[in-house]
Amino acid sequence: MCIRDRLMGEDRDGEAKAPKYKYWEPEVCQGFLEGICLHKVFNNTKLDTGPCPNVHDLKLRAEYLKAKRDGKDNFERNVRAELQRSIEECNRKIQRAVKRLEDEGTVDVMLKVTQHAGHPVVAEHCALIKAKLQEIQDTFLVENPLAEKDKRETLEEELEALRFKRASAESQCVIDTGFGDTIPKSAEVMELEKQISDKLSVAEKLGEEGDVDAMNEAMAEVDQLKHQKAQQEKVSTRPEGMPERAMKERELRVCDICGSFISIRDNDQRIMEHFAGKLHIGYTTIRDRMVEIGRGAPPSDRRRERPSSPARDSRRERDRYDDRRRDGRRDRDRDRDRDRDRSRERDYDRRRDSRRDERRDSRRSRSPNRR
């Protein structure tokens, strides 16, 4: 691709150029065609492996999605296998982290983010994300997909905003639920927890009665009590004989989505930053897509790699013909080499016999005649 194409686009002159490849060719990124290339998902994270080496072309994606809609092609099985490898690698990382913390004696080391998927706010954002993905896909199914470029970019920005809102909702669920106990609670902490629970009940009742100002005051008191509880937990003494490092290990939790460590001492902002990070959102996107592919495609479609198409059949037939021609040439070359070797062996044998006869005649001519 020339510099002008890279900077201004291949259709900068107003006329879209024909793609150099067909969407089913191995040089084209199937993940991009399905809308989830891992190189893009993990861009600017510690798992960033650089730009995708395969072709990303919007025209090819539009052609593929139309063929998929018409039942002519489906790459979900191949993409699912690639996503599965990424998820298995993440799960192995989670298992190693859990084992490390369990060896240090931590109780309930897993931060179970997936258990909040049924929360009303989280579920609502998930439904909105799914609908937005469908809207983006629909922009490729129109007669002129390139004309929908601006609309598609707007939808993609809205999709990113929805993913951040979902991450924020999940982090709030974790904050409200808590991380579990690491050391025995002191009497002061238990009393503060009771006050927080009572005050939340009062705030909920005030909200039902419509007294918004009083509810806000009650929630402000809840925030103060939570802050006091956090301060009290920090000054709690660790169990006798427990090393400081082991105590810090007991304060860690493992995210069951991305495998990162989260400390129970982190403030709310730090926890929200983790959930809004590209790595966490990336693995959330991959896991959601795995579930979607597993539910959407019937077993027969998941087993087959690609349905037949006339163009691909013709190309496959040409490839088989070329293979037969190569095999034929290879056989002819092998026969020719074999004949040449045999001819050389015969020439060598004739020359050897000729030299032997000459030496014998020469010895006879030099020897005296016997009577």
Side-chain angles (χ1 to χ4, degrees):
M1 181 183 293
C2 68
I3 297 178
R4 286 186 301 171
D5 289 345
R6 192 179 300 116
L7 296 177
M8 304 174 63
E10 295 185 359
D11 52 350
R12 61 184 181 278
D13 298 326
E15 296 182 359
K17 296 182 179 180
K20 298 178 181 179
Y21 300 95
K22 301 298 182 182
Y23 69 80
W24 59 78
E25 292 187 300
E27 292 82 4
V28 180
C29 177
Q30 293 186 356
F32 170 76
L33 298 180
E34 281 287 345
I36 185 165
C37 175
L38 293 182
H39 290 269
K40 183 178 180 181
V41 170
F42 293 126
N43 184 37
N44 293 329
T45 69
K46 60 184 180 181
L47 298 181
D48 189 351
T49 56
C52 181
N54 295 326
V55 175
H56 287 201
D57 193 302
L58 294 176
K59 308 181 193 70
L60 297 180
R61 186 178 178 188
E63 292 177 6
Y64 165 72
L65 290 176
K66 290 176 181 178
K68 180 181 177 182
R69 177 196 60 187
D70 298 337
K72 297 179 180 178
D73 243 329
N74 194 334
F75 294 159
E76 285 186 348
R77 178 177 178 270
N78 299 341
V79 173
R80 179 183 174 84
E82 184 179 4
L83 299 182
Q84 182 66 39
R85 287 192 292 271
S86 178
I87 291 298
E88 289 175 352
E89 181 179 353
C90 180
N91 290 341
R92 286 193 294 270
K93 173 186 174 183
I94 292 174
Q95 291 172 1
R96 290 194 299 268
V98 168
K99 186 177 184 304
R100 167 188 162 187
L101 295 184
E102 287 179 342
D103 291 343
E104 295 293 340
T106 309
V107 179
D108 193 17
V109 299
M110 189 73 76
L111 181 63
K112 301 179 178 64
V113 181
T114 52
Q115 70 181 3
H116 302 297
H119 189 278
V121 179
V122 177
E124 179 184 0
H125 287 308
C126 290
L128 292 174
I129 289 172
K130 186 176 181 180
K132 194 64 64 176
L133 286 169
Q134 185 60 49
E135 288 185 52
I136 294 174
Q137 182 170 312
D138 291 342
T139 62
F140 289 97
L141 301 177
V142 297
E143 184 176 354
N144 185 10
L146 296 180
E148 301 289 321
K149 180 180 179 181
D150 293 338
K151 178 181 178 181
R152 189 181 306 117
E153 290 178 351
T154 302
L155 291 174
E156 289 176 348
E157 292 176 359
E158 294 174 355
L159 175 64
E160 291 301 315
L162 286 173
R163 284 174 171 162
F164 278 112
K165 289 181 180 179
R166 174 190 175 181
S168 178
E170 289 177 335
S171 65
Q172 191 60 52
C173 289
V174 170
I175 293 170
D176 294 340
T177 304
F179 295 91
D181 302 331
T182 57
I183 56 176
K185 295 180 182 178
S186 64
E188 292 81 0
V189 172
M190 295 177 66
E191 178 61 26
L192 287 170
E193 286 183 348
K194 183 177 182 301
Q195 294 180 22
I196 291 171
S197 177
D198 294 342
K199 193 61 67 174
L200 284 173
S201 300
V202 172
E204 184 178 356
K205 184 177 180 180
L206 292 172
E208 293 175 353
E209 295 174 354
D211 194 344
V212 178
D213 294 336
M215 182 191 70
N216 290 335
E217 291 178 1
M219 292 304 298
E221 293 179 9
V222 169
D223 291 338
Q224 290 181 348
L225 291 171
K226 285 183 176 180
H227 179 70
Q228 294 176 18
K229 177 189 171 186
Q231 294 297 323
Q232 185 63 39
E233 288 175 340
K234 287 182 179 179
V235 300
S236 299
T237 57
R238 64 176 181 265
E240 184 179 357
M242 176 177 288
E244 183 178 359
R245 177 179 177 275
M247 186 60 201
K248 290 183 178 180
E249 293 283 358
R250 294 189 67 177
E251 296 176 354
L252 295 178
R253 295 294 180 270
V254 183
C255 177
D256 67 345
I257 296 293
C258 63
S260 299
F261 287 111
I262 301 176
S263 174
I264 64 173
R265 303 302 183 192
D266 288 341
N267 56 34
D268 294 355
Q269 182 63 31
R270 188 81 174 267
I271 295 172
M272 289 183 178
E273 288 175 355
H274 164 79
F275 279 84
K278 291 196 69 174
L279 189 66
H280 183 90
I281 291 180
Y283 274 117
T284 301
T285 302
I286 294 173
R287 293 180 186 277
D288 289 347
R289 190 57 191 275
M290 287 282 291
V291 174
E292 180 185 348
I293 292 177
R295 290 176 179 174
S300 59
D301 288 339
R302 288 199 297 268
R303 284 195 300 267
R304 69 183 183 182
E305 180 177 359
R306 284 184 298 180
S308 177
S309 68
R312 202 160 45 249
D313 290 344
S314 176
R315 185 179 177 206
R316 190 179 298 113
E317 185 61 32
R318 288 197 304 272
D319 291 342
R320 282 198 293 265
Y321 175 71
D322 292 340
D323 291 340
R324 287 195 298 269
R325 290 185 59 189
R326 275 195 300 272
D327 292 341
R329 286 197 299 269
R330 192 180 299 112
D331 292 339
R332 287 194 298 272
D333 292 341
R334 188 163 51 247
D335 293 339
R336 190 182 303 113
D337 293 339
R338 189 183 300 113
D339 293 340
R340 187 182 298 112
D341 293 339
R342 290 174 178 173
S343 177
R344 289 174 179 172
E345 290 176 358
R346 287 195 295 268
D347 291 341
Y348 175 77
D349 291 340
R350 282 197 296 269
R351 288 195 299 271
R352 184 189 59 193
D353 294 341
S354 177
R355 287 195 297 272
R356 186 178 55 195
D357 294 340
E358 290 176 357
R359 286 195 297 271
R360 187 175 58 245
D361 294 340
S362 176
R363 286 196 299 270
R364 287 178 179 175
S365 63
R366 289 197 299 271
S367 62
N369 293 332
R370 291 184 177 179
R371 293 185 178 180

